[in-house]
Amino acid sequence: MTMARSEVLVAHQPAYLPWPGYLSRLLDVDTLVLLDHVQFAERGRQHRNLIRGSGGLPQRLTVPVLHRFGQRICDVRVAGTAWAAAHWRALTCAYGRATYFADYPLRAVYERQWERLTEVNQAVLDVLLDGFGIKVHCVRSSSIAPEGSGTHMLADLARCLGRNVLRVGTGAMRYLDHAVLAEAGITVEVATYNPPDGLAVAAVDLLMRHGPAARTILEQHGHVTAVTA
């Protein structure tokens, strides 16, 4: 088992049914900061994602939410309850015959009534982390209240937690201000994940189809590269 690197900051918005790349960057760290104090993105993965649907084609599942412009993720409320039964039916149709379908307590998530989106996402994430054997402590940024926005916020978050390495996905490289990070003494790592079959669907797909071998797939197809100045 790889030793956890306590100097690395991984900070990501809470995601519903996160995809494997979300998890692969956590394999050798001890903490995940859930960026729940930032603005909710209506078309983002915070409340929707893809599973392997009928015929192996991607199928989107979306948690309906009550819209309020500019609201923080931690303030987003779930709209209604019918979605949970519909999502469980979709997951059952997609993976009910998979070898490891009954091995993970995902059904319990969909049998509860939820008030906030962050609560749903955390419950799903807990099942996934346990299933993949990933031992990380989840901290919500709303409990830390870092100052600033964008790169300045990430730098302050790293300062608050005593981290000097920021690990991000490839998309984050478009908006990071490397001068701000350099001034704060923070280096950058980029995490990438290449799906073994090219289909970018939720990580639950790996668990249901591969069970105990799912973590090995994360390790084999996820990579971390240090960014040089």
Side-chain angles (χ1 to χ4, degrees):
M1 183 71 70
T2 303
M3 292 293 293
R5 295 175 56 197
S6 60
E7 77 277 15
V8 179
L9 169 63
V10 177
H12 203 293
Q13 297 166 353
Y16 176 62
L17 290 173
W19 83 301
Y22 189 105
L23 301 174
S24 66
R25 71 186 66 179
L26 304 175
L27 291 171
D28 64 344
V29 300
D30 61 4
T31 301
L32 166 64
V33 178
L34 296 165
L35 295 174
D36 68 337
H37 79 289
V38 301
Q39 185 174 334
F40 172 71
E42 182 178 341
R43 299 183 183 278
R45 289 184 171 181
Q46 298 151 21
H47 70 130
R48 63 181 190 173
N49 225 316
L50 301 172
I51 63 171
R52 188 186 300 264
S54 177
L57 298 176
Q59 176 184 354
R60 175 174 285 118
L61 299 183
T62 301
V63 179
V65 299
L66 299 175
H67 296 279
R68 192 173 77 247
F69 179 75
Q71 66 180 327
R72 301 182 302 168
I73 295 173
C74 59
D75 297 325
V76 176
R77 295 180 180 273
V78 175
T81 60
W83 66 272
H87 285 204
W88 181 246
R89 285 195 299 271
L91 288 164
T92 301
C93 289
Y95 303 112
R97 295 184 180 180
T99 304
Y100 302 98
F101 178 72
D103 290 8
Y104 304 99
L106 194 60
R107 181 172 185 171
V109 175
Y110 296 93
E111 291 179 336
R112 289 184 56 185
Q113 292 188 8
W114 301 98
E115 180 180 354
R116 295 184 183 273
L117 178 63
T118 52
E119 297 170 345
V120 180
N121 290 353
Q122 185 69 64
V124 173
L125 180 60
D126 287 344
V127 173
L128 293 175
L129 291 175
D130 186 63
F132 281 96
I134 299 175
K135 308 297 182 182
V136 297
H137 177 53
C138 294
V139 180
R140 296 186 181 187
S141 62
S142 57
S143 69
I144 302 173
E147 297 180 354
S149 61
T151 303
H152 289 279
M153 180 270 291
L154 292 173
D156 192 58
L157 194 57
R159 179 191 61 79
C160 291
L161 296 175
R163 310 295 166 116
N164 58 18
V165 179
L166 175 64
R167 180 177 296 173
V168 298
T170 54
M173 294 299 291
R174 294 193 298 269
Y175 65 79
L176 281 183
D177 187 330
H178 291 271
V180 169
L181 296 175
E183 183 178 355
I186 300 170
T187 58
V188 178
E189 293 180 345
V190 178
T192 59
Y193 180 83
N194 299 305
D197 59 1
L199 191 63
V201 294
V204 68
D205 183 80
L206 287 182
L207 276 187
M208 298 302 176
R209 297 193 302 119
H210 299 282
R215 182 187 174 101
T216 300
I217 295 174
L218 283 187
E219 294 171 343
Q220 292 174 340
H221 294 270
H223 304 280
V224 175
T225 305
V227 176
T228 56

